Amino acid sequence: MQPILRLTRWEWFRMHHRAPFLVLAGMALAIPLFSLVVVAMQLAGWLTPLGSSGYFGAAAGSLSFLSPILAIVLSSYTHAWDLQNGTCRTLTARGASRESVIAAKSLAGAALLLGYHLLVLAAAVIFAGASGPHFAGWQDGTVSVLASWMVSLLYLALGIALSHWRQSASFTLGVGLSIVFAEAIFYPLANALGALENWPVAEATAWTLWGIAQGLRGDSSILSAAWSVPVSIGYIAALAILAVAAFRKFDLQAGGE
């Protein structure tokens, strides 16, 4: 465990000293903060309310959209890029096992995503306390924020598994984001068509990554949130096993290959 924690601390030190990571963090925080500002303007009467669900609903909604995207970007930045430029090869040459490398990167990514979700939740609490207070929906909003974190872990595991396919950051980012956006477009359309034609589309897609994510968020009539948690853990474990198997099998690139 000690080598994993040491590698995790190294990952954090390396990331927060890089300008691209700081830019990404700033952009990731800007969208939820903007949604909270919009809610504040609606409550102050400066904007016409358009079905606002309050600060916590706005925070949860923005995280629901951003979580899969951030997880894929983070996996390509922390793992696929290191596979591509030879950092992983250097680490293993210095004695770190491949399992500890991938465990450290997964732990660092999960911790960063948790910190991000808690930071957005804290911002919602500050906005709610400073304007009223307006804590309506805080319980559901908090549960939704934590559900979004679980969803982000699913896609983080997917991104880390994809990283080994080509050992390319651009490939991982392109394929991962394509999956995320294809899901966001295809599944709602398929479910709408299924409802019109009385096809069991929702049942057929309940066990996909999208279906599990919907269950975690409480938006699925097929798979409850209580069942989605162990199922999502199973998916994460399966993707992690796949990533470790690929990490063991393939040669690691040196920088510039």
Side-chain angles (χ1 to χ4, degrees), residues 44-205:
W46 298 345
L47 290 177
T48 303
L50 298 173
S52 172
S53 55
Y55 290 112
F56 295 93
S62 60
L63 289 174
S64 176
F65 167 74
L66 288 172
S67 291
I69 298 173
L70 287 177
I72 293 295
V73 172
L74 192 60
S75 63
S76 65
Y77 179 75
T78 61
H79 191 50
W81 177 253
D82 283 353
L83 286 167
Q84 178 180 314
N85 69 13
T87 303
C88 286
R89 184 169 180 171
T90 302
L91 288 173
T92 56
R94 290 177 177 175
S97 69
R98 298 194 180 197
E99 291 80 3
S100 63
V101 170
I102 203 168
K105 290 180 178 296
S106 300
L107 182 59
L112 280 170
L113 289 166
L114 178 60
Y116 169 71
H117 283 74
L118 293 178
L119 190 59
V120 173
L121 184 60
V125 171
I126 292 171
F127 270 82
S131 61
H134 292 281
F135 285 95
W138 71 270
Q139 291 176 311
D140 290 340
T142 300
V143 171
S144 296
V145 168
L146 294 177
S148 289
W149 176 62
M150 284 293 297
V151 171
S152 72
L153 296 186
L154 269 174
Y155 287 88
L156 179 69
L158 173 64
I160 289 176
L162 284 173
S163 298
H164 297 277
W165 192 344
R166 291 282 189 85
Q167 296 188 29
S168 166
S170 59
F171 176 84
T172 302
L173 189 64
V175 173
L177 292 182
S178 295
I179 292 173
V180 171
F181 288 114
E183 287 179 334
I185 295 171
F186 169 76
Y187 284 102
L189 289 176
N191 285 334
L193 182 60
L196 289 174
E197 300 293 336
N198 202 26
W199 294 339
V201 175
E203 291 86 343
T205 59

Side-chain angles (χ1 to χ4, degrees), residues 16-30:
H16 82 278
H17 281 80
R18 285 183 172 181
F21 173 76
L22 298 177
V23 172
L24 174 64
M27 293 173 61
L29 284 172

